[in-house]
Amino acid sequence: MNILVTGGAGYIGSHTCVALLEAGHTVIVADNLINSKAETLERVMQITGKDIIFYQIDVTQAAAVETLFAKHSLDGVIHFAGLKAVGESVDKPLAYYYNNIVSTMVLAQACQKYNVPRFVFSSSATVYGENKVPFVETMKLLPTTNPYGETKAISERILTDVVNANPQWSVALLRYFNPVGAHESGLIGEAPTGIPNNLMPYIAQVAKGKLDKLRIFGNDYPTVDGTGVRDYIHVMDLAEGHVVALARMSAGVSIYNLGTGQGTSVLELVESFVAANGIEIPYEIVARRPGDIAKCYADVTKAKKELNWSTTRNIMDMCRDAWGFEKNYKD
Ligand code: NAD
Ligand code: UD1
């Protein structure tokens, strides 16, 4: 299939390009490189030995998007492009609402106009808010505490309404849990700018000596050891989930949790990183981070049953591959 990958130079997008190319698809990337580098796409081509067609465009720009759609006979779109920093979204709500929602609308409109049958959307477990774990796709979504989370809930709603009006269209809303790790080659991975907000890149930078120690946000949660519990998923498992979803999706909206179904605490993740890589991670316990929930993990029954997809990589693989990328990465 000819697949347009928006945000394909980014963290999850680049790994998904690898999985798509390896499955034999033709990949067209649209990315404005606001949070990524073109070099990542060269590395994807190096890993796979296959070419990518690249457009450096902003996917909120309808004219640029339509030019691309007119040129390629697309079979599907995977829409990763978006802004994703939760804290920043509180400071710059308009930038987040504009970028994340307008891009979804522009792409949906182009799919309608050019009869592109499949649309896969990057959603997030954040839409479950303070529901009780494990999170199931049928749960009523609860308000999220920040504009970023709202952009995901609103985009889901817009796409659902478009399908209601055009029931022959196929949309998959994929709710990611916590993607971590990197491609096994160490050539591509997660390279946040500035000090990382998320746990695994922070640990990896402590391991490298770039940061002095990890600050663990709270050890008084009602969890196994008091630290926050999350469902970490290897980014290559997540990438492969997209390839499977594309192949199996049918008319209408389908929603899938993409996670492992297993919760891991902050301390357990630190221990696994030390065991996998033989590098000590100094840490201190500090106050809770505002907006954090105690536990977040998926019920993965639906993806297993309907997509016949489940993860194959474990926490040790995630820690090994996160370090495999970070140790060689140069800013
Ligand atoms: P990323 O920032 O690494 O990748 C996003 C890519 O989109 C970047 O390459 C950026 O340059 C590009 N981009 C942003 N706005 C654009 C625009 N208007 N036009 C063209 N390109 C644009 O982020 P990621 O971690 O790979 O996340 C991909 C998607 O998955 C995002 O939608 C994100 O919200 C969602 N998601 C991510 C996580 C996570 O933990 N990483 C979890 C849940 C959902
Ligand atoms: C973050 C986002 C969430 C997004 C998710 C996807 C925030 C507030 N939430 O969630 O919207 O959907 O990523 O990956 O950013 N931790 C520390 N020290 C650190 C960093 C994190 O103790 O320096 C803890 C957190 O308190 C949490 C766990 O590690 O318990 C995971 O944190 P993080 O990697 O930021 O992900 P989420 O909070 O799940």
Side-chain angles (χ1 to χ4, degrees):
M1 291 195 271
N2 289 338
I3 306 299
L4 171 63
V5 182
T6 76
Y11 173 47
I12 306 172
S14 58
H15 291 80
T16 304
C17 287
V18 170
L20 287 165
L21 289 167
E22 283 176 347
H25 298 293
T26 298
V27 173
I28 299 122
V29 165
D31 198 306
N32 62 1
L33 304 180
I34 197 170
N35 196 35
S36 53
K37 294 183 185 135
E39 187 196 332
T40 301
L41 295 174
E42 283 160 25
R43 292 183 169 213
V44 170
M45 293 191 268
Q46 187 185 337
I47 291 167
T48 58
K50 295 185 178 164
D51 285 339
I52 286 176
I53 303 162
F54 175 48
Y55 290 83
Q56 187 173 344
I57 57 168
D58 182 328
V59 294
T60 64
Q61 304 288 316
V65 166
E66 287 214 14
T67 305
L68 186 159
F69 274 65
K71 213 159 171 187
H72 298 277
S73 173
L74 297 174
D75 299 293
V77 174
I78 309 182
H79 180 30
F80 291 108
L83 301 175
K84 63 160 183 178
V86 173
E88 187 185 58
S89 79
V90 176
D91 297 331
K92 299 180 181 167
L94 276 175
Y96 273 70
Y97 282 113
Y98 189 86
N99 199 59
N100 292 4
I101 293 171
V102 173
S103 60
T104 302
M105 290 174 63
V106 163
L107 289 160
Q109 215 154 20
C111 285
Q112 300 297 299
K113 185 164 169 188
Y114 290 88
N115 290 317
V116 178
R118 299 170 190 82
F119 192 95
V120 176
F121 177 67
S122 295
S123 191
S124 166
T126 195
V127 299
Y128 290 111
E130 300 225 15
N131 269 295
K132 219 169 145 280
V133 286
F135 297 149
V136 188
E137 290 88 343
T138 48
M139 281 174 165
K140 193 173 157 32
L141 302 189
L142 294 180
T144 58
T145 51
N146 56 76
Y148 165 74
E150 286 304 302
T151 68
K152 293 299 173 191
I154 293 167
S155 292
E156 284 201 6
R157 174 64 200 266
I158 291 170
L159 292 167
T160 304
D161 286 344
V162 178
V163 169
N164 287 341
N166 304 274
Q168 78 292 349
W169 202 36
S170 301
V171 168
L173 306 175
L174 303 183
R175 295 180 179 156
Y176 312 155
F177 282 68
N178 287 54
V180 295
H183 187 262
E184 290 79 357
S185 64
L187 286 171
I188 56 171
E190 190 172 14
T193 46
I195 297 177
N197 293 311
N198 298 116
L199 181 60
M200 185 68 101
Y202 203 108
I203 292 175
Q205 293 196 13
V206 171
K208 204 175 186 178
K210 263 178 94 175
L211 295 167
D212 62 342
K213 62 183 162 195
L214 171 68
R215 284 164 189 82
I216 296 181
F217 299 139
N219 66 348
D220 56 352
Y221 285 106
T223 61
V224 56
D225 55 25
T227 64
V229 164
R230 297 291 182 271
D231 185 341
Y232 298 98
I233 172 172
H234 195 293
V235 66
M236 282 310 300
D237 276 327
L238 184 63
E240 287 158 11
H242 289 72
V243 179
V244 175
L246 259 183
R248 300 213 169 210
M249 63 199 288
S250 52
V253 176
S254 20
I255 306 177
Y256 296 105
N257 286 340
L258 297 187
T260 64
Q262 301 289 320
T264 302
S265 75
V266 177
L267 283 171
E268 286 169 343
L269 190 69
V270 171
E271 277 162 24
S272 299
F273 192 96
V274 173
N277 300 312
I279 304 170
E280 283 306 315
I281 303 296
Y283 66 83
E284 65 172 334
I285 308 290
V286 299
R288 290 182 179 194
R289 178 171 66 179
D292 273 355
I293 54 174
K295 296 182 199 167
C296 171
Y297 54 89
D299 181 317
V300 290
T301 315
K302 191 175 175 211
K304 231 179 233 169
K305 197 168 150 216
E306 293 184 11
L307 298 178
N308 195 22
W309 170 89
S310 52
T311 57
T312 60
R313 298 160 179 92
N314 63 26
I315 286 282
M316 294 289 273
D317 299 325
M318 300 179 210
C319 293
R320 186 200 58 223
D321 293 335
W323 177 236
F325 173 71
E326 182 63 41
K327 71 179 178 203
N328 294 322
Y329 179 72
K330 291 185 186 65
D331 282 317

